[in-house]
Amino acid sequence: MKKALITGITGQDGSYLAELLLSKGYEVHGIIRRSSSFNTERIAHIFEDIHNPAPKLNLHYGDLTDASRLEKIIELTEPQEVYNLGAQSHVKISFDEPVYTAETVGMGALKMLEAIRNVSGGSQNIKIYQASSSEIFGKVKEVPQNEETPFYPRSPYACAKVHAFHQMVNYREAYGMHASNGILFNHESPRRGETFVTRKITRGLARIIAGFDKKLYLGNLDAKRDWGYAKDFVEAMWLILQQETPDDYVIATGQTWSVKDFLDKAFAVVNMDWKDYVEFDERYLRPTEVDLLIGDATKAKEKLGWVAKTSFDDLVKIMVESDLKKYNVLDKI
């Protein structure tokens, strides 16, 4: 039985990845940070599944800033695959918390690499997947962006992701480690954090219909992103670590949509006009904006056999319906 270790298992991607690996018969271990409140709601259903009363899922307290603890967890769990998804992942917040972002995103990846190298002796016995981000392209040098596109990060988060990306490449080349980067473009789902723009829109819409709010306040409505479904994207993560040779891959849909497009699609689900409810708030603008991201995932298609399965329209509908259900107004469709 294969064993996998996931950092960030309680996040959007981590929860979907855990489900995928468990469905493939893995024994899954996850690292969670100790907190005074429960933060495992995205994976609670795995333990509560009456059809699988003893899931092969184990959680361990740890933190990407604690190198010695990471090494102990690697020794304890003996994984063949490590998926490093943990991070302070909100771009806007990274401007407010740049040092913490760099420590978790950049140095966290380096500490995980060192932990694996110390335990495995630098062999390929433990494969590591690093969650990179399309934000590393920032002020893009070419459209669309692929694995050869130069990086131009425009936030502390993106700078930290560039650091982590190059450390993976360096450890791969210096020590022969099976270290790969997945450069994932925006991927969303009903499990997306409530402060991210897509979920902010779908949740805000549900709250307006439910009568809790009258308006939704957003920043840059013209920003364009390549938006896919997180459940599709975690499959690419797994495929990357099934390759004999480690490498770096852009994972994207190849289509770009603006925040206004997302608003159009979301409010259309309930036959409403977003212009009647959305107002601009400059507090949500970044000091440096990223205007356009669109990925070329040709390499992933050719080498991994991966393509995005869920359309933009379907993704938006999935998210809207999920939040309407949470606020008991799904019958409004």
Side-chain angles (χ1 to χ4, degrees):
M1 179 187 297
K2 275 190 174 182
K3 296 181 183 180
L5 175 66
I6 304 172
T7 69
I9 194 170
T10 59
Q12 169 189 255
D13 293 6
S15 64
Y16 282 120
L17 179 60
E19 289 175 348
L20 176 68
L21 296 179
L22 288 168
S23 73
K24 293 181 179 297
Y26 278 66
E27 178 181 311
V28 177
H29 296 266
I31 297 178
I32 61 173
R33 287 175 294 172
R34 186 175 292 278
S35 172
S36 59
S37 59
F38 291 111
N39 60 355
T40 56
E41 61 273 8
R42 291 188 181 93
I43 55 175
H45 65 281
I46 297 175
F47 295 101
E48 297 167 356
D49 185 354
I50 61 173
H51 301 294
N52 186 18
K56 299 179 178 65
L57 175 60
N58 305 276
L59 302 179
H60 309 267
Y61 286 115
D63 196 293
L64 284 168
T65 63
D66 187 343
S68 62
R69 180 59 180 159
L70 293 178
E71 190 167 326
K72 288 179 181 177
I73 293 174
I74 293 288
E75 291 175 341
L76 174 67
T77 58
E78 299 181 327
Q80 288 87 41
E81 299 172 7
V82 173
Y83 295 86
N84 187 39
L85 314 183
Q88 188 300 101
S89 59
H90 199 289
V91 176
K92 178 66 169 66
I93 291 174
S94 78
F95 286 98
D96 301 322
E97 296 286 348
V99 175
Y100 177 71
T101 300
E103 288 176 346
T104 57
V105 177
M107 291 303 297
L110 178 57
K111 289 175 181 179
M112 180 59 81
L113 280 166
E114 271 295 278
I116 293 172
R117 186 171 76 92
N118 290 339
V119 173
S120 69
S123 71
Q124 293 200 0
N125 294 336
I126 303 177
K127 300 177 180 180
I128 179 171
Y129 166 87
Q130 168 63 22
S132 192
S133 166
S134 57
E135 289 286 333
I136 63 179
F137 296 122
K139 191 175 181 179
V140 298
K141 293 296 187 179
E142 60 185 23
V143 179
Q145 297 89 51
N146 60 32
E147 293 81 5
E148 304 303 319
T149 302
F151 302 157
Y152 196 142
R154 299 266 284 174
S155 68
Y157 169 78
C159 291
K161 282 292 186 184
V162 169
H163 175 267
F165 180 98
H166 285 303
Q167 291 292 3
M168 292 293 152
V169 175
N170 184 52
Y171 272 64
R172 184 167 73 211
E173 296 177 352
Y175 305 114
M177 291 175 63
H178 197 295
S180 299
N181 289 290
I183 308 173
L184 272 60
F185 280 63
N186 292 65
H187 46 290
E188 316 298 319
S189 78
R191 299 181 192 175
R192 178 54 110 174
E194 295 175 351
T195 59
F196 289 80
V197 66
T198 53
R199 184 70 197 292
K200 189 174 179 182
I201 290 170
T202 60
R203 177 177 177 269
L205 172 58
R207 287 181 61 84
I208 289 169
I209 293 174
F212 291 107
D213 296 328
K214 293 183 178 179
K215 294 288 184 178
L216 174 61
Y217 298 92
L218 299 172
N220 183 8
L221 302 185
D222 296 316
K224 294 181 178 180
R225 295 292 185 269
D226 184 325
W227 273 307
Y229 186 23
K231 199 169 184 178
D232 294 344
F233 279 45
V234 298
E235 184 178 355
M237 300 177 187
W238 176 76
L239 287 168
I240 288 172
L241 288 199
Q242 307 319 301
Q243 306 308 302
E244 184 175 345
T245 304
D247 207 345
D248 309 315
Y249 297 88
V250 162
I251 306 298
T253 71
Q255 295 183 323
T256 188
W257 305 86
S258 69
V259 176
K260 286 181 181 177
D261 292 328
F262 198 101
L263 285 165
D264 281 335
K265 302 286 186 183
F267 277 73
V269 174
V270 291
N271 297 312
M272 292 167 59
D273 187 344
W274 65 265
K275 297 181 185 68
D276 295 329
Y277 301 94
V278 175
E279 292 190 7
F280 170 75
D281 190 332
E282 64 179 10
R283 291 177 299 174
Y284 296 114
L285 294 177
R286 305 177 187 178
T288 45
E289 287 287 340
V290 173
D291 297 318
L292 170 65
L293 293 173
I294 178 170
D296 176 4
T298 300
K299 182 177 177 181
K301 181 179 180 180
E302 293 177 349
K303 292 195 172 184
L304 306 177
W306 181 89
V307 293
K309 300 173 184 175
T310 307
S311 71
F312 181 69
D313 284 32
D314 287 344
L315 168 63
V316 175
K317 187 176 181 182
I318 289 169
M319 294 181 66
V320 169
E321 290 183 349
S322 174
D323 275 320
L324 291 178
K325 184 177 180 180
K326 287 181 180 179
Y327 282 89
N328 297 313
V329 288
L330 186 57
D331 60 339
K332 300 297 183 181
I333 294 182

